[in-house]
Amino acid sequence: MNHGVHVIDTGFVRPRFDAAYLLVEEGRAAFIDCGTNHSVPRMLQALDKAGLTPASVDWLILTHVHLDHAGGAGELIAQLPNARLVVHPRGARHMIDPNQLWAGASAVYGEDVMETTYGRLRPVAAERVDEAPDGHVVSLNGRPLLCLDTPGHARHHLSVYDRQANVCFTGDTFGLSYREFDTANGPFILPTTTPVQFDPDALHASIRRLVGLKPSAMYLTHFGPVENVGKLANDLHAQIDAMVNIATAAQAHSSDKGQRHEAMKAALTDLYLSRAQAHGWAGDRASLLDLLGMDVELNAQGLGVWLDSRKTSAA
Ligand SMILES: [Zn+2]
């Protein structure tokens, strides 16, 4: 009943943090996302466990080119003799020439962290890359995988609708839901506004579009499948609005960017903690930050970039 959908833990950061997926249809396979260079052995192991070989893989589909999803693409595809890379048209050139991607991510994380965390990015040969505009269908041995343009988290983001399984692979568009926050009320979810392309209106619209397909589950990168899609979408919409309000308030009250950033981090932590506790989660502020500290930091950074881009475009 799992329609040949396998969850792979890429091993990035901690267990159950970063997922990739292996889809199998009658002996042929597709990966959706792939983690980093360090995840490649786990991807190959997943194939082996499914009784397949690297030659069985026809597709590596990337939801977007952020490195926790796509960093290992060049290394992985070098191991897959028959696979083609499927990527959003805005992401394709960054997979063919990863220098700009490397520089952009280094600006966020620092060059040292980049080397150890992700490893050097290996380019993908242009002739192995398929650009997937909105409505592009990938055929996995006859099983259609529909690629939808879903901006909001990033402008180079696509989501994949698998009609046969009736599930969506949402990358980061449908937020983050770590299993440590599961309670009797089900999964807890929050949006991700990682730098540098957060767009609240686009994110609302993309979430509405995915929910409109009426999938039975969303398969998130962080982490795994979640059901009860309508309820979780409402949680996301409410928090996107709350996060925009947090950003706008911090902008109004803080004269310098360091202060603004700290104010946003504190308010985001308050928001997620109050929602997690209302959800029945038993943890406190410190244990929340153990799990979400990095996301709070990145979400605050992304909101800061969004605030500054609004100022520029209004000027
Ligand atoms: Zn991302």
Side-chain angles (χ1 to χ4, degrees):
M1 283 303 283
N2 75 351
H3 294 274
V5 180
H6 304 258
V7 183
I8 306 167
D9 190 325
T10 70
F12 183 65
V13 178
R14 65 173 185 259
R16 298 189 302 174
F17 177 80
D18 190 52
Y21 296 101
L22 174 66
L23 277 63
V24 182
E25 181 66 23
E26 310 257 337
R28 303 305 301 171
F31 285 114
I32 299 181
D33 286 337
C34 62
T36 71
N37 284 357
H38 308 305
S39 312
V40 171
R42 290 168 178 254
M43 308 297 287
L44 299 177
Q45 206 173 38
L47 276 178
D48 192 52
K49 253 174 70 183
L52 302 170
T53 69
S56 319
V57 181
D58 292 329
W59 307 105
L60 167 55
I61 306 171
L62 300 177
T63 59
H64 61 306
V65 303
H66 286 164
L67 297 180
D68 48 334
H69 306 254
E75 284 294 334
L76 179 60
I77 208 155
Q79 311 276 333
L80 308 174
N82 301 315
R84 298 186 61 74
L85 185 78
V86 178
V87 60
H88 191 284
R90 289 180 182 273
R93 70 195 165 88
H94 296 297
M95 291 288 101
I96 295 163
D97 175 5
N99 282 321
Q100 196 189 332
L101 204 57
W102 179 267
S106 296
V108 178
Y109 302 104
E111 181 100 0
D112 287 353
V113 175
M114 291 292 297
E115 291 276 2
T116 49
T117 312
Y118 302 102
R120 278 278 155 193
L121 304 180
R122 183 164 169 171
V124 179
E127 60 270 20
R128 294 186 71 180
V129 176
D130 287 348
E131 294 189 8
D134 188 54
H136 181 83
V137 177
V138 173
S139 172
L140 173 58
N141 208 5
R143 171 176 171 178
L145 304 173
L146 173 63
C147 299
L148 298 168
D149 183 22
T150 53
H153 171 78
R155 285 196 291 270
H156 46 84
H157 202 302
L158 60 79
S159 298
V160 178
Y161 178 55
D162 175 355
R163 190 182 308 135
Q164 183 173 310
N166 190 33
V167 301
C168 287
F169 298 88
T170 58
D172 287 344
T173 297
F174 204 76
L176 313 170
S177 177
Y178 300 120
R179 304 281 59 80
E180 290 89 339
F181 291 98
D182 287 353
T183 69
N185 295 317
F188 176 71
I189 204 161
L190 66 150
T192 160
T193 62
T194 311
V196 291
Q197 295 180 339
F198 169 58
D199 176 344
D201 295 339
L203 192 53
H204 280 302
S206 291
I207 291 167
R208 276 195 294 271
R209 190 172 180 206
L210 292 173
V211 172
L213 297 165
K214 303 199 188 315
S216 62
M218 300 294 197
Y219 280 63
L220 281 52
T221 300
H222 314 279
F223 178 93
V226 292
E227 297 176 348
N228 208 348
V229 161
K231 187 258 181 197
L232 294 176
N234 289 339
D235 291 348
L236 289 171
H237 287 304
Q239 285 174 99
I240 293 165
D241 291 342
M243 289 164 68
V244 162
N245 288 338
I246 283 170
T248 314
Q251 174 82 334
H253 293 113
S254 308
S255 49
D256 78 77
K257 284 191 185 173
Q259 256 178 30
R260 184 183 76 180
H261 181 69
E262 291 309 316
M264 286 194 289
K265 275 172 63 174
L268 290 174
T269 305
D270 290 344
L271 171 69
Y272 305 142
L273 183 61
S274 67
R275 292 191 65 104
Q277 289 178 337
H279 180 71
W281 184 66
D284 60 9
R285 194 179 187 89
S287 46
L288 180 106
L289 286 174
D290 279 344
L291 295 165
L292 292 185
M294 192 169 75
D295 295 307
V296 166
E297 170 65 29
L298 291 174
N299 279 357
Q301 284 184 21
L303 291 171
V305 172
W306 173 70
L307 285 170
D308 293 339
S309 70
R310 277 168 83 225
K311 261 202 322 208
T312 316
S313 52

